[in-house]
Amino acid sequence: MKKLLLFTGLLFSGYLQAQTPMTLKQAVDVAIRNNLTVRQNELLVETSENNLLQSKLALLPSAQANASQSINYGRSIDPYTNGFVNEKLNASNFSFSAGVTLFNGLYNQNFIKQNNLLMKAAEQDVQQAKDQVTLNTILAYLQVLSSEDQVNLAEQQLEASKMQLERTVALVKAGNLAPYDEYTLGSQVANDQLSLVTMQGQLKLNRLTFWQTLNNPQIPLDFKLERLTPEGEMGYANTATQVYESAEQNLAMIKAAQIRVKSFDHTIKMLRGLQYPLLSLNSFVSTRYSSTANVTYGDQLGNNFNRNFSLDLSIPIFRSWVYKNRVQNAIVDKKRSEVQAQNVQIQVKQGIEQAYANLEVAKMRYDALESQVKNFDETLKSAESRFQAGTLNVVEYNIAKTNLDRARLNQIQARYDYLFRVKILDFYQGKNLFVD
């Protein structure tokens, strides 16, 4: 298995080094496979599986064999005759015992059911950890794409400012514009260069965050990501209530809490079972040998052969209310677990309501910015024409350009923010988060 994972990792590394863009699903798969929290929870599942197996094995009979060899000097009891001897004595003892519980208040049966539910809860914990890694990876992925778009836009803005500065320099030399206009546009170019450096720095940080999320040093830092298309129809089909109803059925966090509540039912039954009589069937077989007896070794073992079978009944009468108090504590623990489950449901419901509100706000913000970009774009086109004609000063031109640049950057951020909000709501409903 380890060799397979290593081989897969090497293939994936070569895949990336060939500069093939990494898809969102590939990124999530790598992040989950290398996440230590997920691995820790998987190990807890293995422990739960072992506990379940052990509780099942407790239904089997128990058996034990014993053998001893002793040498005695001086006065001792001969195990063959049970009489006193005063000489060196070699003695051998062999025994075999077995027993099986016939009834113990169904303690073992409820113990199995409890461990089975705890194992299922542990499996849901693994899924919950994977879900969290999935969301973190999607966010980091989208932040890289957003930063890349912002860098591209900043490069275009800088190039447009440089071209405008070149035209202005030519107009200044021709005497159509004042040198002040050249200096002002030169300052705008410097500002655009600073914006580009800032965007490039943020992109570098976002790429590092994404790379650390993958936790795979075999993946090169100069990775490429497959582009997503957040444009298109905006609007979510389901309401917040419908999203929560789906989350109740699909979300691992809720399932784990509900399963743990059910496990306490069997804990209570287990402890109540300890108050019932214990019925067991036992057997014991033994034989022995003594060097002082004038009988062969084999004959002694046959002559001393002893068999014992018993049906034992143990009835608890009074044990200082220990079991009763344990039952009461288990009932309290179940109530605490129910409160915890309710708290999880409330947190999920509030998270969905917040995510849905954020989605609506992101959509309204994107729509407003889309309209703003169109208006500012028309304004800048008009400003460029008037500036070239000498009817608009450079300050007014820079204001128009800055407004458009800022609106475009905000639109990019709003577009990816909306896409992330959609992914969150899809996640709550157990939908496929990746495009096949």
Side-chain angles (χ1 to χ4, degrees):
M1 185 64 182
K2 291 182 178 179
K3 293 183 179 179
L4 177 61
L5 291 176
L6 177 60
F7 180 70
T8 303
L10 292 175
L11 285 179
F12 192 75
S13 177
Y15 182 73
L16 293 176
Q17 290 175 359
Q19 298 303 309
T20 302
M22 185 192 315
T23 66
L24 179 57
K25 187 177 187 307
Q26 288 173 338
V28 170
D29 290 341
V30 172
I32 289 176
R33 187 168 63 247
N34 294 284
N35 186 266
L36 296 182
T37 300
V38 172
R39 182 54 183 154
Q40 287 177 338
N41 282 279
E42 288 175 341
L43 292 174
L44 291 176
V45 171
E46 292 184 22
T47 301
S48 299
E49 291 174 346
N50 292 334
N51 292 337
L52 175 60
L53 176 60
Q54 186 59 53
S55 62
K56 291 179 178 179
L57 294 176
L59 295 174
L60 299 178
S62 62
Q64 181 175 324
N66 297 284
S68 67
Q69 177 68 38
S70 62
I71 301 177
N72 299 293
Y73 296 90
R75 187 178 177 83
S76 59
I77 297 178
D78 187 340
Y80 185 73
T81 63
N82 287 325
F84 287 102
V85 295
N86 194 6
E87 59 182 284
K88 179 182 176 181
L89 172 65
N90 290 324
S92 301
N93 288 279
F94 304 94
S95 65
F96 176 83
S97 61
V100 61
T101 299
L102 301 178
F103 180 77
N104 62 347
L106 301 179
Y107 178 92
N108 290 338
Q109 288 79 358
N110 284 300
F111 194 31
I112 293 173
K113 293 177 181 179
Q114 180 202 45
N115 282 328
N116 185 51
L117 290 174
L118 291 178
M119 183 190 68
K120 292 181 179 179
E123 291 172 345
Q124 293 301 319
D125 289 339
V126 172
Q127 185 59 48
Q128 180 183 342
K130 290 181 179 180
D131 291 343
Q132 188 60 53
V133 173
T134 299
L135 288 181
N136 292 341
T137 306
I138 291 175
L139 176 59
Y141 190 100
L142 295 180
Q143 285 177 335
V144 172
L145 296 185
S146 178
S147 289
E148 289 178 346
D149 285 353
Q150 292 179 44
V151 168
N152 292 335
L153 180 59
E155 291 174 342
Q156 295 173 11
Q157 292 168 350
L158 176 59
E159 187 62 27
S161 295
K162 287 181 177 179
M163 293 177 61
Q164 188 62 40
L165 177 59
E166 290 176 0
R167 290 194 294 266
T168 301
V169 169
L171 291 173
V172 170
K173 289 181 179 180
N176 295 331
L177 291 177
Y180 170 78
D181 295 333
E182 178 183 344
Y183 302 147
T184 303
L185 281 175
S187 299
Q188 180 62 44
V189 170
N191 288 334
D192 288 346
Q193 288 176 333
L194 178 60
S195 296
L196 175 58
V197 171
T198 302
M199 297 300 175
Q200 288 173 336
Q202 187 61 51
L203 172 59
K204 186 174 182 179
L205 292 175
N206 288 339
R207 288 177 66 87
L208 178 61
T209 299
F210 174 76
W211 185 77
Q212 291 175 336
T213 301
L214 299 182
N215 193 28
N216 187 345
Q218 294 179 347
I219 297 177
L221 274 171
D222 59 344
F223 57 83
K224 288 185 178 180
L225 299 183
E226 183 182 66
R227 305 298 303 178
L228 300 180
T229 54
E231 301 87 350
E233 294 294 329
M234 286 192 173
Y236 207 72
N238 296 335
T239 65
T241 301
Q242 291 172 328
V243 173
Y244 176 70
E245 290 174 351
S246 297
E248 282 188 304
Q249 304 299 322
N250 296 288
L251 203 60
M253 183 187 304
I254 294 179
K255 288 182 179 180
Q258 292 174 340
I259 290 173
R260 286 191 169 91
V261 171
K262 292 180 181 179
S263 71
F264 276 103
D265 290 334
H266 298 290
T267 303
I268 295 171
K269 292 178 180 179
M270 283 167 49
L271 296 174
R272 284 176 174 166
L274 295 176
Q275 302 177 66
Y276 285 85
L278 171 63
L279 181 63
S280 61
L281 178 63
N282 300 284
S283 64
F284 180 81
V285 179
S286 67
T287 186
R288 57 189 180 271
Y289 162 81
S290 172
S291 62
T292 61
N294 191 20
V295 182
T296 63
Y297 190 88
D299 290 340
Q300 282 196 51
L301 293 182
N303 294 337
N304 291 326
F305 198 72
N306 174 50
R307 303 176 185 84
N308 174 267
F309 296 93
S310 65
L311 185 64
D312 300 323
L313 179 65
S314 175
I315 303 175
I317 297 177
F318 181 73
R319 295 185 180 179
S320 303
W321 302 102
V322 171
Y323 293 140
K324 182 177 181 180
N325 288 330
R326 288 182 181 177
V327 170
Q328 293 301 318
N329 287 336
I331 293 174
V332 173
D333 289 339
K334 179 186 176 182
K335 292 179 180 179
R336 289 174 54 197
S337 182
E338 289 173 341
V339 172
Q340 178 63 26
Q342 292 173 358
N343 187 44
V344 169
Q345 291 177 322
I346 291 174
Q347 290 177 350
V348 170
K349 189 173 186 296
Q350 292 176 345
I352 291 174
E353 292 170 346
Q354 186 66 46
Y356 201 89
N358 289 335
L359 176 72
E360 293 179 327
V361 171
K363 181 180 183 302
M364 291 187 295
R365 187 166 181 266
Y366 180 83
D367 292 341
L369 286 168
E370 186 176 34
S371 176
Q372 190 181 63
V373 167
K374 291 180 181 178
N375 292 331
F376 282 152
D377 186 53
E378 294 298 327
T379 300
L380 181 60
K381 290 179 181 178
S382 176
E384 286 178 344
S385 299
R386 293 170 59 193
F387 180 71
Q388 297 295 334
T391 60
L392 184 71
N393 62 52
V394 69
V395 175
E396 293 174 319
Y397 170 79
N398 282 339
I399 291 175
K401 183 178 183 303
T402 301
N403 287 339
L404 178 59
D405 293 344
R406 185 184 300 112
R408 283 175 173 172
L409 288 174
N410 291 335
Q411 186 184 32
I412 290 174
Q413 293 175 341
R415 185 168 67 239
Y416 283 101
D417 181 57
Y418 176 83
L419 180 58
F420 181 62
R421 305 301 173 185
V422 170
K423 294 292 185 182
I424 290 178
L425 292 178
D426 288 346
F427 153 74
Y428 278 122
Q429 297 177 91
K431 292 183 177 180
N432 181 22
L433 301 180
F434 316 104
V435 178
D436 296 328

